[in-house]
Amino acid sequence: MPRLYRHIVLFFVLIFTLSGCEIVKWKATQDGESLVNAGYSEQFLPLKEGGNIKYWIGGTGKPLLLLHGFGGTAISTWQKEMMALSQDYQVIAPDLAWFGDSHSKGLADLTTQTNAIWQLMDHLKIDKVNVAGISYGGFVTYNMMTTPERIDKSIIIASPGPLFSEKDLDDLCLRAGVDKPENLFVPQNSDEVRRLFDNVFYEKKYMPDFIADQIYTSYFSPWQAERTSLIQTLIKDRDRIAEFPPNNLPSSMVIWGDSDQIFPLKSGIQLSGYLNAPIVVIPETGHGVTNEQPEVVVKLIKSFLS
């Protein structure tokens, strides 16, 4: 009992100490240290067009690329999966351009984003890779799949590829109470961060003001113009990637939450049929699949790749 009491006291001392400073950054640092202890290293690659890509790499085996979604980073999206998957694969998890510690001096669109990842694969001398991407990372994954000779297998999580219409975007805006998609995905303040989280996760997250402020400052305030462009240019990118014949794409699996409010399950079912790929639907799960169901995601990835 005295030991438990000490732990409780230490916890509250820590919370009250950090609440006035940067608990969000502290959590990211702790997660990074856990990855280092598990054998990961943090690296930076200068991009040909200017800027750089930060990435984590660790583990041994066939290469597995993990791509995060909008507003996130490699660590905030994939940390638990990275810890587990590095036991069987060489895991590469970058911060996409204009997220985390990565940026590019190229045009802020899907082509620049994908080319940056290909530069990373070339730097690592990886000719063929397994890739898993969630949400916006799923769009990057799909774009990479249109170079099928360099993809072994692909896993798309909560991302519709080219199969979203203007009506789908209008319905998304209606559900979220915004005028345009970028108003949801590029929040301008801590209240809009809460709105985004409420739409992403199945269970509502309690978020004190100081935490919401720190999440906004750390994850959403940088590169807002570029992120807005990434959203606005997806229509053009959708039309371009839709031209690639789906029967020429690599073997794929689709994973979806049954309660996704960003891209509802019907989008996942439609993509599954379009790709002739199996779909796994996870119950009581929203759009943030990798954060909400990391153990399930690990099992599904291992099962599909093996």
Side-chain angles (χ1 to χ4, degrees):
M1 189 62 149
R3 184 178 180 183
L4 176 61
Y5 175 76
R6 287 197 301 272
H7 286 174
I8 294 173
V9 170
L10 180 60
F11 172 77
F12 280 103
V13 168
L14 182 63
I15 291 299
F16 283 112
T17 301
L18 292 172
S19 63
C21 55
E22 293 295 334
I23 191 170
V24 171
K25 289 184 178 179
W26 172 83
K27 176 63 167 60
T29 299
Q30 293 296 110
D31 288 344
E33 290 177 357
S34 70
L35 289 172
V36 171
N37 292 335
Y40 277 87
S41 63
E42 181 184 30
Q43 306 287 341
F44 288 84
L45 173 68
L47 295 172
K48 295 175 182 177
E49 68 273 19
N52 64 72
I53 288 290
K54 171 187 164 181
Y55 64 99
W56 292 88
I57 184 168
T60 57
K62 290 184 177 181
L64 170 60
L65 177 66
L66 303 178
L67 301 177
H68 66 78
F70 219 84
T73 63
I75 286 185
S76 69
T77 304
W78 291 104
Q79 193 261 352
K80 290 183 178 179
E81 286 89 348
M82 291 165 68
M83 295 288 288
L85 290 168
S86 63
Q87 299 173 26
D88 299 283
Y89 304 96
Q90 181 192 47
V91 177
I92 306 104
D95 288 351
L96 294 173
W98 304 291
F99 298 96
D101 293 320
S102 297
H103 75 282
S104 167
K105 292 187 178 180
L107 294 174
D109 60 16
L110 188 62
T111 298
T112 299
Q113 195 75 264
T114 308
N115 286 342
I117 299 302
W118 284 131
Q119 289 180 54
L120 176 58
M121 295 298 98
D122 292 340
H123 170 73
L124 296 173
K125 296 181 172 56
I126 295 174
D127 294 325
K128 202 166 189 177
V129 67
N130 294 300
V131 56
I134 181 171
S135 193
Y136 181 74
F139 288 110
V140 181
T141 298
Y142 197 102
N143 201 29
M144 294 180 71
M145 289 163 60
T146 63
T147 309
E149 66 274 12
R150 297 201 63 180
I151 301 295
D152 191 355
K153 291 183 177 181
S154 59
I155 300 161
I156 295 179
I157 306 173
S159 185
L163 305 185
F164 67 95
S165 66
E166 279 69 18
K167 184 181 185 305
D168 292 328
L169 296 179
D170 289 343
D171 290 344
L172 166 61
C173 291
L174 187 62
R175 289 192 298 273
V178 296
D179 294 328
K180 297 177 290 187
E182 55 265 33
N183 296 149
L184 176 63
F185 293 108
V186 190
Q188 302 295 311
N189 53 53
S190 56
D191 287 337
E192 293 182 6
V193 170
R194 287 192 181 91
R195 178 178 65 194
L196 177 60
F197 275 49
D198 285 347
N199 281 275
V200 165
F201 295 108
Y202 177 74
E203 294 184 355
K204 298 293 186 287
K205 306 282 186 183
Y206 171 67
M207 194 181 297
D209 288 342
F210 74 91
I211 293 292
D213 290 340
Q214 290 177 23
I215 290 175
Y216 172 73
T217 301
S218 296
Y219 290 99
F220 292 101
S221 62
W223 307 109
Q224 290 200 341
E226 290 79 6
R227 295 181 187 187
T228 299
S229 176
L230 290 176
I231 294 293
Q232 292 174 341
T233 55
L234 270 181
I235 298 295
K236 174 195 70 176
D237 292 319
R238 173 201 65 188
D239 296 340
R240 175 179 55 79
I241 61 179
E243 295 176 358
F244 197 90
N247 57 317
N248 291 340
L249 294 169
S251 176
S252 303
M253 176 174 68
V254 177
I255 301 175
W256 226 270
D258 70 341
S259 301
D260 194 327
Q261 294 300 304
I262 301 297
F263 298 117
L265 177 56
K266 65 178 183 180
S267 297
I269 295 171
Q270 186 180 13
L271 181 65
S272 171
Y274 183 75
L275 297 176
N276 193 26
I279 180 171
V280 179
V281 180
I282 306 177
E284 298 183 354
T285 302
H287 186 68
V289 179
T290 56
N291 291 104
E292 296 181 76
Q293 302 286 353
E295 293 85 4
V296 176
V297 170
V298 167
K299 290 179 181 178
L300 291 174
I301 289 176
K302 285 185 175 182
S303 175
F304 181 64
L305 296 186
S306 63

